[in-house]
């Protein structure tokens, strides 16, 4: 797809992502959707209001009324769309830097659109095929201020609040200046936790840390866990559809380890789970131990959602799915990545066992990530060509589901272009940190040298 990458359409606001482009996508979506009303929401980014205005104009121009929810986490607009049975548009760039913004399209079932639906909308946007209406039929807008409160109550109804409250947990929370700040602090307090926060001010400049919840951005949270003697640290990305964790000693928990711990609790024999091609051996081990099936997809929420729906159609059960970046699905709850809910499910795990012990069985693997930026399409092609040559010369099993994944028995390395940023991403995992570093560095050196 040219417009929609691994998780919606994203770009640098004002240059790569313009109001005109957003207007066209909204017109295309409104043309394809069989609806007379749609919702629009934003995260905290400074360009959110500008793009919300463009979106509302595009939808109104093809005859849809618009519910404007304002500042809202992605899972909250999904909940609103499901409740109202209307589609929606979320303006967010999730974990990307502040200068980015993006578009996520949500169906009337509250779920991000599947690939086939996105392709239909993309075709209309690129072909400028819009069902524009005459002036007397344009849609109207209204402000809605109840979406976040309704979403928070739905979370409370779905979580074992008594178990968490009885544990008397202290939660150190870092919403990262993003949309999670309007829900998560109060939500975890309502669960009976003592909550201390850092970077909880709503600020699209992201002054305290960048939106991506990775270890290098979360030093403040680790220190807060130690200073507050907290039981756990929880961090979100910009639109709060992900959660990553620190243990009670202020140590970052690899997202693959927390996913494996959550999966071990949810999966039973005969169940299926879905993960992306960068899946950790930790999850593979869990599936083998409980006799569950693992299905792999290209990276990105859209691909995972599509595969889960296919499994449902085939009559299979899928109690958990996701990626090791903190984006976990609990499909029996809702088929969305939901940061506050993911955090609460982890609180259920640590209610009677310290976080360090919960993830201890999943610490036998080490991962390394390298991101290589490119400045042009020509550089991108050159770097990928160098990666391809390296891959085909390697003595390893090769997977081409998404990029190139080299399997070396008890270790692997993956190289692929990002679907959200101008970067080539390299991820390696092994049973030792040195081996993971070696795999990632060797490949990164070859790719980097191709454009130096």
């Amino acid at each position: 797809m040219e417009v929609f990458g691994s998780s919606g359409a994203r770009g640098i606001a004002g240059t790569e992502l313009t109001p005109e482009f957003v207007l066209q996508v909204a017109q295309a979506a409104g043309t394809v959707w069989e609806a007379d009303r749609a919702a629009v929401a934003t995260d905290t980014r400074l360009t959110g209001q500008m793009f919300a205005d463009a979106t509302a104009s595009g939808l109104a121009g093809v005859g849809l009324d618009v519910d404007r929810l304002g500042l809202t986490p992605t899972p909250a607009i999904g909940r609103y769309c499901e409740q109202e049975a209307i589609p929606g548009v979320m303006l967010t760039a999730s974990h990307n830097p502040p200068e980015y913004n993006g578009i996520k399209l949500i169906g009337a079932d509250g779920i991000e659109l599947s690939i086939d639906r996105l392709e239909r909308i993309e075709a209309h946007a690129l072909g400028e095929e819009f069902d524009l209406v005459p002036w007397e039929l344009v849609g109207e807008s209204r402000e809605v201020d109840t979406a976040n409160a309704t979403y928070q109550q739905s979370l409370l109804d779905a979580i074992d609040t008594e178990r968490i409250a009885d544990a008397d947990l202290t939660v150190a929370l870092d919403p990262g200046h993003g949309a999670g700040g309007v829900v998560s602090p109060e939500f975890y307090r309502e669960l009976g936790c003592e909550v201390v926060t850092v970077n909880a001010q709503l600020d699209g400049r992201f002054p305290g840390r960048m939106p991506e919840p990775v270890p290098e951005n979360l030093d403040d949270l680790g220190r807060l866990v130690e200073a507050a003697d907290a039981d756990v640290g929880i961090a979100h990305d910009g639109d709060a559809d992900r959660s990553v964790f620190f243990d009670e000693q202020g140590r970052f928990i690899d997202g693959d380890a927390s996913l494996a711990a959550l999966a071990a609790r949810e999966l039973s024999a005969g169940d299926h789970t879905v993960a992306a091609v960068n899946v950790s051996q930790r999850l593979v081990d869990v599936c083998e131990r409980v006799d569950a099936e693992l299905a792999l997809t290209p990276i990105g929420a859209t691909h995972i959602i599509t595969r889960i729906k296919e499994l449902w159609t085939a009559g299979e059960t899928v109690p958990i799915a996701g990626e090791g970046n903190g984006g976990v699905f609990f499909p029996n709850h809702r088929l969305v990545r939901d940061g506050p809910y993911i955090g609460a499910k982890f609180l259920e795990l640590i209610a009677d066992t310290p976080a360090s012990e919960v993830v201890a069985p999943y610490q036998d693997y080490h991962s390394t990530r390298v991101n290589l930026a490119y400045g042009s399409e020509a550089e991108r092609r050159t770097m990928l060509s160098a990666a391809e040559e390296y891959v085909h010369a390697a003595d390893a099993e090769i997977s081409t589901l998404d990029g190139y994944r080299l399997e070396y028995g008890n270790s692997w390395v993956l190289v692929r272009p990002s679907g959200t940023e101008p970067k080539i991403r390299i991820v390696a995992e092994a049973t030792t940190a040195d081996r993971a570093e070696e795999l990632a560095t060797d490949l990164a050196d070859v790719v980097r040298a191709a454009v130096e």
Side-chain angles (χ1 to χ4, degrees), residues 257 260-261 264 282 285-286 289 355-365:
R282 298 170 175 92
D285 291 346
V286 169
R289 187 167 63 250
S356 60
E357 295 182 24
V358 165
V359 299
Y362 314 104
Q363 302 287 45
D364 291 340
Y365 296 95

Side-chain angles (χ1 to χ4, degrees), residues 92-109:
T92 178
S94 187
H95 65 271
N96 289 68
E99 64 270 24
Y100 282 76
N101 214 323
I103 312 165
K104 287 184 181 180
L105 300 180
I106 299 166
D109 54 2

Side-chain angles (χ1 to χ4, degrees), residues 26-34 62 64 120 124 129-132:
Q27 289 174 323
T31 296
V32 170
W33 284 331
E34 296 177 358
V62 293
L64 277 70
R120 285 188 60 200
H124 279 265
E129 300 171 356
F130 313 127
D131 292 340
L132 299 173

Side-chain angles (χ1 to χ4, degrees), residues 185-421:
E186 180 60 26
F187 168 53
Y188 292 126
R189 291 186 178 106
E190 286 290 321
L191 289 177
C193 302
E194 180 181 347
V195 179
V196 292
T197 62
V198 64
N199 301 319
Q201 313 95 319
L202 305 175
D203 191 333
R205 298 175 181 84
F206 301 98
R209 72 161 171 91
M210 289 293 98
E212 187 168 15
V214 291
E216 55 266 33
N217 292 337
L218 299 174
D219 288 345
D220 287 345
L221 180 57
R223 286 190 289 266
L224 180 60
V225 170
E226 293 185 85
D229 195 23
D231 296 285
V232 67
I234 302 175
H236 298 320
D237 58 342
D239 64 332
D241 66 353
R242 291 160 53 182
S243 278
V244 300
F245 306 99
F246 280 71
D247 70 15
E248 74 282 1
Q249 299 176 45
R251 299 176 302 191
F252 180 77
I253 297 173
D254 190 289
D256 288 308
S258 56
L259 173 58
L262 290 164
R265 184 188 187 201
E266 299 291 327
L267 290 172
S268 300
D271 286 338
H272 282 65
T273 186
V274 180
V277 68
N278 60 348
V279 63
S280 169
Q281 187 65 29
R282 298 170 175 92
L283 184 58
V284 176
D285 291 346
V286 169
C287 290
E288 290 179 350
R289 187 167 63 250
V290 304
D291 196 22
E293 297 292 329
L294 173 62
L296 297 184
T297 74
I299 290 173
T302 300
H303 296 289
I304 293 175
I305 289 169
T306 300
R307 185 67 179 124
I308 292 171
K309 287 182 174 180
E310 291 171 352
L311 288 167
W312 278 348
T313 299
E316 305 294 350
T317 57
V318 189
I320 190 168
E323 298 176 277
N325 61 5
V328 182
F329 293 87
F330 292 89
N332 293 339
H333 168 57
R334 293 175 58 225
L335 187 49
V336 299
R337 297 188 302 184
D338 189 329
Y341 184 81
I342 296 164
K345 295 299 285 185
F346 196 75
L347 294 182
E348 290 181 354
L349 279 184
I350 67 170
D352 51 20
T353 305
S356 60
E357 295 182 24
V358 165
V359 299
Y362 314 104
Q363 302 287 45
D364 291 340
Y365 296 95
H366 301 266
S367 59
T368 299
R369 293 170 174 81
V370 179
N371 293 318
L372 303 176
Y374 56 83
S376 66
E377 182 59 27
E379 282 193 0
R380 177 182 184 273
R381 289 194 299 268
T382 300
M383 295 167 79
L384 289 176
S385 178
E388 184 177 2
E389 290 183 17
Y390 179 96
V391 165
H392 288 299
D395 183 16
E397 183 179 339
I398 303 171
S399 168
T400 57
L401 182 61
D402 185 355
Y404 298 98
R405 175 169 166 144
L406 298 177
E407 294 279 358
Y408 294 93
N410 61 356
S411 61
W412 57 266
V413 61
L414 171 73
V415 57
R416 60 179 289 276
S418 169
T420 59
E421 295 179 88

Side-chain angles (χ1 to χ4, degrees), residues 18-31 54-55 58 62 103 121 124-130:
T18 64
E20 293 82 4
F21 173 77
V22 173
L23 175 76
Q24 288 186 327
V25 171
Q27 289 174 323
T31 296
T55 302
V62 293
I103 312 165
I121 291 170
H124 279 265
L126 295 177
E128 298 186 17
E129 300 171 356
F130 313 127

